Amino acid sequence: YLTEALDAVLEGKDVAVTSTAAPGCHIGRLSRKPATGDITYSKHIAPILNAHCVRCHRKGEIGPFTLTSYDDVVGWTETIRDVVAERRMPPWHADPQFGHFRNDARLPDEARELIFKWIDNGAPAGNANDLPSPPQFVEGWRIGQPDVVFSMPKPFTVPAKGVVPYQHFVTEVSFDEDKWIQAAEVRPGNRAVVHHLILYYVPPSEKAKAEAVLFNSLAAYSPGMPASVFRPGHAKFIPKGSKLIIQCHYTPNGSEQVDQSLAGLIFADPATVKKQLLTQLSINFKLNIPPGEANYRAEAEHRVGQETDLHSLLPHMHLRGKSFRFEARYPDGTSEPLLDVPRYDFNWQNSYVLAEPKRLPEGTVIHCSAVFDNSAANLMNPDPTSTVRWGDQTWEEMMVGTFEITRADQDLTLGLPIAKRLDGGDYEVTFRYRPQSKASSVYLAGAFNEWNPTGHQRDGPDAEGRYFTKLVLKPGKHEYKYVIDGTAWRADPGNPEQTGEYHNSVLTLGD
């Protein structure tokens, strides 16, 4: 576009190239025919931009220029035409054949045609009285006003050159009670050098293991990544006393920089939380991409151990990433694509949030396949002559398929088993369970009866379909499950804590 403007100047044509700092100044706007037609910015274009573009293209956000006024927009009409025509903006990389997503950013065809006709007609401004009310945002936040805001404990200096290992900053935030999170956001203090951020927690009983970054993540930042805003009744859990940590990946840019990134949380009312969102992964650590290979394929998979609802999918690769696909392989032998990203873009990461949770039967395998381009034809490739393996830095590679799930039968409003402390220090515990479907009998099995599937038959059902039994147990941790008709094993839907390969429910009695 700038080349066209320069050519016009050299040919003696009229070109306006001024600053949008003052009203009425239009950057890069070549002289065009007078504005005509009934399609106007005020009545037709502003509502489209407010709905699809302004969230990023406003002051303080990731968009490289603002699109909040006519003077902002009219200077970028030819650029807007190009990126909309090529479907580069709004950015969306999923194949529309597979899946329906709540955060689908694509412009409807009618909106695209209106934009093209408006530009062809000279971009008329229209009547200011037709302007819609501007969308309301909390300054600095996409999740709304956080209940708590915190940051890295002190600024971090990023050197001008070299490799900066991943940094993990333990924040000064701590909670003296369990917390449920309805929304979370982590924001870079200095976008010039922050490649990505992950906000995660480490429970007080655990050490800070590498996998905690993903399994216990609350929010992430990278270009294109949406803030974490969860459905009503769904939330993420932070045990009391946990450490909140911000992982930072810095990329030096030639001059010394300083960053102090921050995060915000919105809490959920525990009484309203029915389901706990969990993060699961399919990872292939054994990457070995040969030099010059344009279509290196890697695969990974995760087996669903219990009936599950799928909420979101997030593919992750680095600069040689070419495509990524999620597929559900069902126990009956059938399969279904969940998400296909045929042109992966490392510079625009995205989490694809399903329009409605998808039920996956027990035994479903979530299969991920990725293709990498290590050839010279890949203009993003740092070095097509090198063999590429797994690594944290962008010139290395990763293959990570991340997805968020909930247990299909979970209903945390049912509550934990009721424990009553006895005089001798033991506990009388009342276990309650309501099967999802009709049952002839329900049993309680656990470590306390050597997992005998018919060890403790429960009384019931009552008028609400619940079965009951009471046991006296010692203080400590007790693993248990309910067994329907002596054969079908089920975790406690009211208990969020599970452990082990078989997802046993865990009840802690005493300190």
Side-chain angles (χ1 to χ4, degrees), residues 198 200 210-217 236 279 281 283 400 402:
I198 299 177
Y200 68 103
E211 55 265 30
V213 178
L214 296 176
F215 283 111
N216 296 347
S217 65
K236 289 200 170 183
T279 301
L281 308 170
I283 300 180
V400 184
T402 304

Side-chain angles (χ1 to χ4, degrees), residues 152-202:
M152 294 160 42
K154 60 182 180 180
F156 178 78
T157 299
V158 181
K161 298 179 180 179
V163 177
V164 181
Y166 281 24
Q167 302 294 308
H168 296 259
F169 300 99
V170 180
T171 70
E172 297 175 353
V173 175
S174 63
F175 304 119
D176 57 7
E177 60 181 2
D178 295 339
K179 289 292 186 181
W180 288 96
I181 306 303
Q182 188 65 57
E185 184 175 355
V186 59
R187 296 181 64 85
N190 185 344
R191 284 195 176 96
V193 289
V194 172
H195 172 266
H196 79 249
L197 304 168
I198 299 177
L199 173 67
Y200 68 103
Y201 68 90
V202 175

